[in-house]
């Protein structure tokens, strides 16, 4: 099981594809698994879908698939046999044995219309055997419409369909005759009541022409309205312990659906439902809307999880990134970490200074130490990583014995092994990006190491760099301004020569030339 998706969507109808579209546009990896058995396949057109009125159902699905795949989603034909918890996510097994992993599930498998046991209903279903006046009423307006009574809501259905045609009959089938009040209402609306069971359909050519009663009488009709029992396709959810519940209208059970909150979230964390599997009365446009709602809720849930994971990783990095092991790993990851050129602010500030004793803090691969030694400085170069020191020593050796002889390479963590106080004419710390409190302690120790008349040079990444597209580890607490460092120096002891943000040009990972800033502190210890 080496395929992992942010979301696996089970069901590729309006709800599933709309949820998938919202998710792929949110840059989530999505797999849609569709069995290709849409409930509305027999219908000629989709209705009440704004700007898609009259679209054939297959065309709507094809367009939806194209939109999802255009944004990078995957759509496969198949069924989901089972979904089980797998750590923080789910293992999803497809027919054929393929198993994938999903961080979240969106189930939009729709429902099954369970029809009364009258021969011929299933063959005409969605064509001239209908159930929803809002879906099909316009198409059979002013035609002869029969409403087959299959429950106590039959009279209500007859009144609804009367809006579309004057020619509506209530076929009692096996239902009792209406009470006096209801009989009066039906009569007032000119809805005739036909007693007796319906035992079959009359079809001429490829059109319904009537129904046949048990008595042998044929009632002439152009359309037959049947209220099916709506049963959610919830097989994929059984392995997760989710089962449908009854849906009642005026005390009458019209079907079963998976319970969920308004976003589609179920009782199983990480599982959402949308469309008819969660709302048996939803039309196509409502199912699509539910899919979008669920997709947005899933993305928000994933964002919350991603944030929790990021915080854990952030804390771990903060805790470990300054350890010797972390620096060794970084240096061993590539032949050279740094450019091999001295830091530009060191060149600017030390180029005209008379050589003396220098402390190069975090010397890395030695470019600054070698540059100082070439100008006559006696350099103590300190780093926490032995690999960096080995490379630095090799660079110094390549510069010649005079240069190499003026550098002492020291393996130390200055947080635990502070430098000697008052021992250096120049202390240079280039880009020592530590958390705030350790940084203040470190800079105080570096300041103490400066001899009277000597200079302290501290250069760091300015906080404003985080607003640019330059590659910077995003640790706001570790970036600082030169003014912050200057404020920590006792003015009776120190003369601040510069405390500023100096611009310089850099190239971001996209190849764009941008301006970044170095926080530069230059201070002289009073004699």
């Amino acid at each position: 099981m080496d395929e992992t998706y942010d979301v696996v969507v089970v069901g590729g109808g309006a709800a599933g594809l709309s949820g998938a579209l919202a998710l792929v546009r949110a840059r989530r990896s999505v797999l849609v698994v569709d069995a290709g058995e849409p409930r509305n396949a027999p219908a000629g057109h989709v209705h009440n879908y704004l700007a898609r009125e009259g679209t054939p159902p297959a065309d709507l699905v094809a367009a939806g698939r194209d939109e999802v795949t255009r944004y990078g989603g995957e759509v496969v034909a198949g069924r989901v046999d089972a979904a089980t918890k797998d750590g923080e996510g789910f293992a999803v097994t497809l027919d054929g044995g393929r198993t994938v992993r999903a961080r979240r599930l969106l189930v939009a498998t729709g429902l099954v219309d369970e029809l009364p046991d009258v021969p011929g209903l299933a063959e005409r279903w969605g064509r001239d055997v209908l159930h929803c006046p809002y879906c099909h009423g316009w198409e059979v307006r002013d035609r002869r419409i029969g409403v087959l009574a299959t429950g106590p809501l039959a009279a209500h259905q007859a009144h609804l369909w009367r809006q579309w045609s004057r020619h509506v009959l209530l076929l009692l089938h096996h239902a009792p005759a209406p009470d006096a009040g209801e009989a009066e209402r039906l009569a007032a609306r000119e809805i005739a009541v036909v007693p007796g069971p319906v035992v079959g359909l009359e079809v001429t050519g490829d059109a319904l022409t009537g129904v046949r009663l048990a008595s042998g009488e044929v009632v002439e009709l152009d359309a037959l309205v049947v209220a099916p029992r709506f049963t959610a396709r919830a097989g994929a959810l059984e392995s997760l312990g989710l089962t449908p519940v009854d849906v009642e209208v005026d005390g009458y059970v019209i079907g079963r659906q998976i319970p969920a909150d308004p976003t589609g979230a179920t009782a199983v964390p990480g599982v959402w439902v949308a469309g008819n599997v969660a709302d048996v009365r939803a039309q196509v446009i409502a199912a699509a809307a539910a899919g979008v709602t669920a997709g947005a809720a899933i993305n928000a849930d994933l964002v919350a999880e991603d944030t929790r994971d990021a915080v854990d990783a952030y804390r771990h990095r903060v805790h470990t990134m300054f350890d010797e092991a972390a620096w060794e790993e970084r240096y061993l990851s590539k032949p050279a970490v740094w450019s091999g050129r001295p830091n530009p602010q060191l060149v600017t500030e030390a180029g005209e200074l008379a050589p003396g004793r220098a402390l190069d803090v975090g010397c890395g691969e030695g470019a600054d130490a070698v540059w100082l030694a070439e100008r006559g400085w006696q350099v103590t170069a300190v780093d926490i990583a032995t690999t960096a020191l080995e490379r630095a020593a090799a660079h110094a050796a390549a510069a010649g014995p005079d240069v190499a002889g003026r550098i002492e390479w020291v393996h130390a963590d200055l947080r635990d092994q502070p430098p000697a106080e008052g021992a250096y004419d120049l202390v240079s710390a280039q880009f020592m990006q530590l958390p705030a409190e350790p940084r203040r302690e470190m800079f105080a120790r570096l300041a103490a190491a400066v001899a009277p008349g000597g200079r302290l040079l501290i250069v760091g990444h300015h906080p404003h760099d985080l607003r640019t597209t330059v590659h910077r580890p995003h640790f706001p607490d570790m970036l600082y301004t030169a003014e912050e460092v200057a404020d920590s120096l006792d003015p009776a002891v120190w003369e601040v020569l510069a405390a500023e943000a100096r611009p310089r040009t850099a190239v971001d990972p996209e190849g764009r030339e941008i301006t970044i800033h170095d926080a530069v502190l230059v201070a002289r210890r009073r004699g």
Side-chain angles (χ1 to χ4, degrees), residues 38-410:
R39 174 196 179 195
N40 61 359
H45 306 92
V46 170
H47 299 293
N48 300 313
Y49 200 130
L50 189 64
R52 292 291 183 269
E53 170 62 32
T55 302
D59 290 357
L60 189 71
V61 168
R65 286 187 172 193
D66 178 65
E67 290 170 356
V68 169
T69 55
R70 202 186 322 148
Y71 283 102
E74 297 179 48
V75 180
V76 298
R79 300 178 186 276
V80 170
D81 289 339
T84 56
K85 285 294 290 182
D86 178 39
E88 295 298 315
F90 302 89
V92 182
T93 303
L94 282 60
D95 55 352
R98 179 186 178 190
T99 300
V100 299
R101 191 175 188 281
R103 296 175 65 191
R104 299 292 185 273
L105 289 179
L106 173 55
V107 178
T109 41
L111 60 78
V112 174
D113 295 297
E114 297 179 356
L115 300 174
D117 187 18
V118 175
L121 286 184
E123 290 77 12
R124 309 299 307 174
W125 181 241
R127 300 167 64 193
D128 38 33
V129 175
L130 314 169
H131 80 287
C132 171
Y134 301 103
C135 302
H136 305 286
W138 178 264
E139 283 64 45
V140 294
R141 65 193 183 280
D142 300 325
R143 309 289 296 279
R144 299 170 298 179
I145 301 171
V147 177
L148 185 69
T150 56
L153 300 179
H156 170 70
Q157 289 176 289
H159 286 296
L160 278 180
W161 281 90
R162 177 64 177 79
Q163 175 62 27
W164 281 266
S165 177
R166 293 183 56 196
H167 312 291
V168 176
L169 304 177
L170 176 59
L171 306 169
L172 288 181
H173 195 39
H174 296 295
D179 61 25
E182 186 57 64
E184 182 181 37
R185 289 189 288 272
L186 290 167
R189 296 286 303 217
E190 301 181 355
I191 299 173
V193 178
V194 179
V198 173
V199 296
L201 306 185
E202 292 292 312
V203 178
T204 302
D206 190 26
L208 178 73
T209 56
V211 296
R212 187 173 61 258
L213 303 181
S215 64
E217 178 187 357
V218 173
V219 180
E220 295 181 345
L221 297 171
D222 301 303
L224 179 64
V225 173
V226 177
R229 180 181 175 87
F230 307 119
T231 301
R233 287 193 182 109
L237 295 167
E238 291 177 359
S239 53
L240 293 167
L242 289 170
T243 56
V245 298
D246 288 344
V247 180
E248 295 185 4
V249 174
D250 296 334
Y252 175 69
V253 176
I254 64 169
R256 291 173 64 79
Q257 66 190 29
I258 297 295
D261 75 6
T263 71
T266 70
V268 176
V271 179
W272 272 257
V273 288
N276 287 142
V277 73
D279 181 1
V280 295
R281 289 169 287 192
Q283 295 186 41
V284 176
I285 194 169
V292 173
T293 298
I298 291 170
N299 182 60
D301 193 52
L302 288 170
V303 166
E305 181 179 278
D306 292 342
T307 301
R308 290 191 298 271
D309 292 344
V311 168
D312 290 342
Y314 182 89
R315 290 172 177 172
H316 178 74
R317 286 192 66 191
V318 169
H319 182 70
T320 61
M321 68 185 297
F322 303 106
D323 292 345
E324 180 176 352
W327 278 107
E328 285 293 346
E329 181 179 356
R330 183 175 185 183
Y331 280 109
L332 291 171
S333 68
K334 56 180 67 175
V337 172
W338 312 115
S339 68
R341 299 184 298 273
N343 281 293
Q345 305 304 341
L346 174 67
V347 173
T348 297
E349 296 301 329
E352 302 300 325
L353 295 180
R357 296 160 298 169
L359 175 65
D360 182 9
V361 180
C363 67
E365 292 161 332
D368 286 1
V370 170
W371 183 84
L372 287 166
E374 287 174 337
R375 280 147 187 79
W377 289 83
Q378 195 69 34
V379 184
T380 299
V382 181
D383 203 278
I384 197 173
T386 56
T387 299
L389 291 170
E390 290 169 0
R391 292 178 185 175
H395 294 159
D402 289 344
V403 171
R406 284 195 285 269
I407 305 174
E408 177 188 8
W409 304 105
V410 178

